[in-house]
Amino acid sequence: MSAGSALLVSGSVGAQPSAVAPPVKSLKGAVITTPIPSPPPKRELRGVWVATVENIDWPSRRDLTPEQQRREYQKMLDGHQRAGINAIFLQVRPASDAFYRSALEPWSKFLSGRQGKDPGWDPLPFLVDEAHKRGMEFHAWFNPYRASTDTTTARLAPNHPYRRHPEWFLRYSGKLLYNPGLPAVRAYITEVIVDVVHRYDIDGVHFDDYFYPYPEARQVIHDEAAFAQYNPDGLSLPDWRRRNVNQLVEQVHDAIEAEKRWVKFGISPFGVWMNSNEDPEGSDTRAFQGHTGLYADAREWLRQGWVDYVLPQLYWSTNFRAASYATLLEWWSRNRYDRHLYIGQGAYRMLESTKSDTTWRNPRELPRQVRLNRSYPQDISGSVFFSGKSVLSNPLKTTDSLRQNLFQYPALLPTMPWKDAVPPRSVQQLTLTRGGGPVTLLWQPGPAAADGDSAAAYVIYRFARGEQPTPDDPRHILAIRPSSRRGNEAFVDTAARYGTEYAYYVTALDRLHNESGPLRVTTIGSVAGPVIARAEPPATPLPTTPDPNATPAVTLPATVTKERPGMTKTTTEGNNISIKTKTKQPAKKKKGFFRRLFGR
């Protein structure tokens, strides 16, 4: 997850600039090196890693008060929201410690200054809630095997697992690591993760690239005893180690699924699975290999369906010959096995002064990589940037490019039909009121769907006269709003211009981002003053998975009144909506755009 991952290539194989090949757009399996222009995607994960180890991203220091930690986190999320980020991957267990109240592991020293010291609050509910308020998913990032950042055991807290089970651990390169070959270790790590899934409202569980340790000179993994005791099938040492990791991945996946079916599980492996000169199924690269170097068989996890997404760390430029970004992008797109593929983007590389990959000095490189991702619209579902601080520092003005261009429009999160393909039911009692300028929309949530899911959020679309109504174009999304959970929902379009007519769609999203059919409402007749309108289904509905339990839609005729600019008063009480407006004469319905648009 750190810069070291990239240096495993750049430190051992010199980067030689190479000419960029002409674009290939039609041959399946061909490497696309020139981005293919496309409209902005409606669904795209746009994430950022927030590292807590060594206080890389948050909290910035170990001596902050709880209130300072909260303010710092809110400010960080606000910055990411402005940049277009819609998912946070925050490190909650950096080294067998906790950024949450735990009966299993000690408080993290990166939170309170000393391992085991109570910081005076439980941050995780706040961290999750603040992300959800901003429409962001929250993925809890665990490092499964790292137990300490040094081998000075005297500084470990009294309740650190090493105190109870020293036989579980290996010493390697100045650190304590859990021994992946021990069944008791796998059971314990799974217990730690399920504890968080059970008690906190997280959206996902995330592992980084640290499984067996990255090789270092004159360092040996001393797991000989476990290899002798727990290898009944007589596997070779490399195959045995890979099986140990596979068993943990499968076990964690099954445990999460049994606890909360909507919580996602994903892993961010090293960017190269295998080189093609060592395995014909590998990528055309010459780099360190996660399969043999870390005993992490990411391709097998995908093939078996043990992960919901894979997030390879492609921290190299498009011109880095040993491990070209474009080459690896194409390889992963062919090997995702119908699971989500997000790409780990090396935003931190633009802050380095490296001479091995000077392409990172070009401010166009990272935006180019995001556009290359979008050249695979059926295979690549988004990006996650390392790390949070790097994105907020706006290296080479790249974050400005994301905010003003690539991430200018909002995006829904991609759906996962293997987890949930049932959309929520449509909203009900949608009404519109207007007093000349701003437009107020009010609605009620629909009943629970067949799988018991209710609306977790709502999407508001707006179309003006002369605009082509298409729900696939995110440029028409005004807002993606979390559900208030209070029954009455409201949205005020303060950007609506006086004298301009609009049509609005409102849809519901469930926890896994399936979208309901829409209701629509228009401001026809509101050019000169107040209007009240009841919603009806649009003539051109949003494409959505059919809801087998949907009730027949009831078409309510629009009621429109028109007068000089005046006041419209809307009140809600329980499930009742009361709208009062002073009107003079009913206005005639206008023809033209909205009749063509909605078949009126």
Side-chain angles (χ1 to χ4, degrees):
M1 191 60 63
S2 64
S5 299
L7 295 176
L8 286 167
V9 173
S10 59
S12 57
V13 182
Q16 301 296 325
S18 60
V20 175
V24 179
K25 303 180 183 179
S26 58
L27 298 177
K28 184 172 178 60
V31 176
I32 298 173
T33 56
T34 300
I36 301 173
S38 61
K42 177 180 174 178
R43 291 185 180 270
E44 184 176 59
L45 184 136
R46 302 164 180 173
V48 64
W49 279 294
V50 177
T52 59
V53 64
E54 303 298 343
N55 301 99
I56 291 175
D57 291 313
W58 179 86
S60 61
R61 302 196 317 268
R62 305 180 193 184
D63 60 349
L64 297 182
T65 66
E67 183 56 32
Q68 289 172 324
Q69 291 171 350
R70 285 189 284 267
R71 287 200 303 267
E72 189 174 79
Y73 181 73
Q74 289 171 320
K75 181 179 179 181
M76 179 184 69
L77 287 192
D78 288 342
H80 288 312
Q81 186 179 37
R82 286 192 295 270
I85 297 300
N86 61 16
I88 298 295
F89 294 72
L90 189 138
Q91 195 173 27
V92 300
R93 184 188 187 252
S96 195
D97 52 2
F99 270 70
Y100 54 91
R101 195 169 300 282
S102 172
L104 299 171
E105 298 192 305
W107 286 106
S108 176
K109 65 182 179 182
F110 305 119
L111 179 67
S112 62
R114 187 181 75 251
Q115 189 177 88
K117 180 183 177 183
D118 192 324
W121 69 305
D122 184 353
L124 193 49
F126 176 83
L127 302 179
V128 173
D129 288 347
E130 290 297 309
H132 287 171
K133 286 178 184 177
R134 292 162 176 81
M136 298 175 175
E137 279 197 335
F138 186 96
H139 293 244
W141 165 14
F142 296 79
N143 186 290
Y145 291 125
R146 184 168 57 208
S148 74
T149 53
D150 56 49
T151 55
T152 308
T153 57
R155 287 200 290 264
L156 296 177
N159 61 333
H160 190 282
Y162 177 81
R163 302 293 190 193
R164 303 188 301 274
H165 296 285
E167 72 279 6
W168 284 0
F169 297 89
L170 304 170
R171 281 182 166 83
Y172 185 90
S173 187
K175 297 180 178 65
L176 277 179
L177 306 173
Y178 282 91
N179 186 343
L182 300 179
V185 163
R186 294 193 293 271
Y188 173 73
I189 293 171
T190 303
E191 181 185 7
V192 167
I193 292 164
V194 170
D195 174 58
V196 173
V197 173
H198 176 74
R199 293 192 294 122
Y200 297 97
D201 191 27
I202 63 174
D203 300 293
V205 168
H206 180 71
F207 283 179
D208 55 28
D209 53 318
Y210 292 106
F211 291 95
Y212 277 86
Y214 279 90
E216 296 192 25
R218 297 182 297 277
Q219 295 291 316
V220 178
I221 302 172
H222 287 295
D223 55 357
E224 298 89 350
F227 179 58
Q229 185 176 358
Y230 297 107
N231 186 19
D233 298 327
L235 299 176
S236 67
L237 181 63
D239 286 342
W240 176 76
R241 286 175 175 170
R242 272 187 291 273
R243 189 181 69 174
N244 294 334
V245 174
N246 288 348
Q247 287 177 329
L248 175 70
V249 172
E250 181 183 14
Q251 190 170 328
V252 169
H253 167 269
D254 291 349
I256 294 171
E257 187 76 13
E259 184 64 36
K260 289 180 180 176
R261 61 177 176 81
W262 60 87
V263 174
K264 304 171 181 179
F265 178 43
I267 300 178
S268 179
F270 186 76
V272 176
W273 176 73
M274 285 287 286
N275 299 315
S276 59
N277 66 330
E278 295 196 31
D279 188 313
E281 297 295 324
S283 53
D284 186 17
T285 50
R286 300 295 181 269
F288 179 81
Q289 304 167 126
H291 182 270
T292 56
L294 303 174
Y295 307 99
D297 193 351
R299 193 166 177 259
E300 180 70 4
W301 308 333
L302 288 162
R303 193 176 70 85
Q304 296 289 350
W306 293 334
V307 292
D308 297 306
Y309 66 84
V310 68
L311 176 47
Q313 297 170 32
L314 306 190
Y315 294 164
W316 306 288
S317 77
T318 49
N319 291 324
F320 189 61
R321 185 171 295 176
S324 165
Y325 182 89
T327 297
L328 286 164
L329 199 69
E330 188 276 331
W331 185 89
W332 283 102
S333 73
R334 285 190 291 108
N335 288 275
R336 67 181 185 88
Y337 289 94
D338 293 323
R339 290 298 187 256
H340 282 183
L341 170 60
Y342 312 133
I343 304 301
Q345 314 277 170
Y348 74 95
R349 298 300 304 277
M350 292 177 290
L351 301 173
E352 296 180 332
S353 57
T354 178
K355 296 180 180 179
S356 63
D357 196 356
T358 57
T359 303
W360 284 110
R361 300 176 188 175
N362 186 340
R364 294 184 177 91
E365 176 62 15
L366 194 63
R368 170 185 169 83
Q369 291 187 2
V370 174
R371 291 188 178 96
L372 278 172
N373 297 351
R374 291 178 178 177
S375 297
Y376 297 85
Q378 303 304 316
D379 297 308
I380 298 174
S381 300
S383 301
V384 181
F385 300 89
F386 188 84
S387 66
K389 183 180 292 185
S390 300
V391 173
L392 292 178
S393 68
N394 197 16
L396 304 181
K397 306 298 181 182
T398 300
T399 306
D400 287 343
S401 180
L402 295 177
R403 181 177 64 251
Q404 297 169 8
N405 187 349
L406 292 167
F407 294 172
Q408 178 182 0
Y409 300 103
L412 277 63
L413 275 297
T415 59
M416 290 184 171
W418 59 91
K419 294 183 76 68
D420 180 8
V422 179
R425 289 196 168 111
S426 301
V427 305
Q428 298 179 336
Q429 302 178 37
L430 174 63
T431 62
L432 176 152
T433 61
R434 188 180 198 182
V439 174
T440 298
L441 301 176
L442 298 171
W443 66 90
Q444 296 285 314
D451 59 358
D453 288 352
S454 299
Y458 301 95
V459 188
I460 298 95
Y461 301 81
R462 187 183 73 183
F463 305 98
R465 181 179 296 275
E467 293 180 337
Q468 179 63 35
T470 168
D472 294 324
D473 189 341
R475 287 173 289 189
H476 292 296
I477 296 177
L478 276 184
I480 304 170
R481 299 286 297 271
S483 170
S484 69
R485 306 292 184 184
R486 292 193 298 268
N488 299 318
E489 302 288 347
F491 174 78
V492 181
D493 179 10
T494 58
R497 299 176 61 183
Y498 177 79
T500 302
E501 293 180 352
Y502 300 102
Y504 294 87
Y505 283 173
V506 178
T507 65
L509 299 175
D510 65 17
R511 185 68 184 258
L512 282 164
H513 312 288
N514 295 295
E515 188 173 24
S516 75
L519 285 187
R520 64 93 179 180
V521 68
T522 75
T523 63
I524 294 176
S526 66
V527 173
V531 63
I532 307 173
R534 299 283 296 180
E536 59 186 64
T540 306
L542 295 177
T544 183
T545 305
D547 183 352
N549 297 281
T551 55
V554 178
T555 301
L556 300 174
T559 303
V560 182
T561 56
K562 175 180 176 182
E563 67 162 3
R564 297 174 184 174
M567 297 296 294
T568 300
K569 181 179 180 182
T570 303
T571 60
T572 60
E573 181 177 353
N575 291 325
N576 299 317
I577 301 175
S578 174
I579 303 172
K580 297 180 180 179
T581 184
K582 182 179 180 181
T583 62
K584 292 186 176 180
Q585 299 178 11
K588 296 181 180 179
K589 295 182 180 179
K590 294 195 173 185
K591 300 180 180 179
F593 167 68
F594 287 104
R595 172 171 288 182
R596 296 193 304 272
L597 175 57
F598 297 120
R600 294 178 54 123

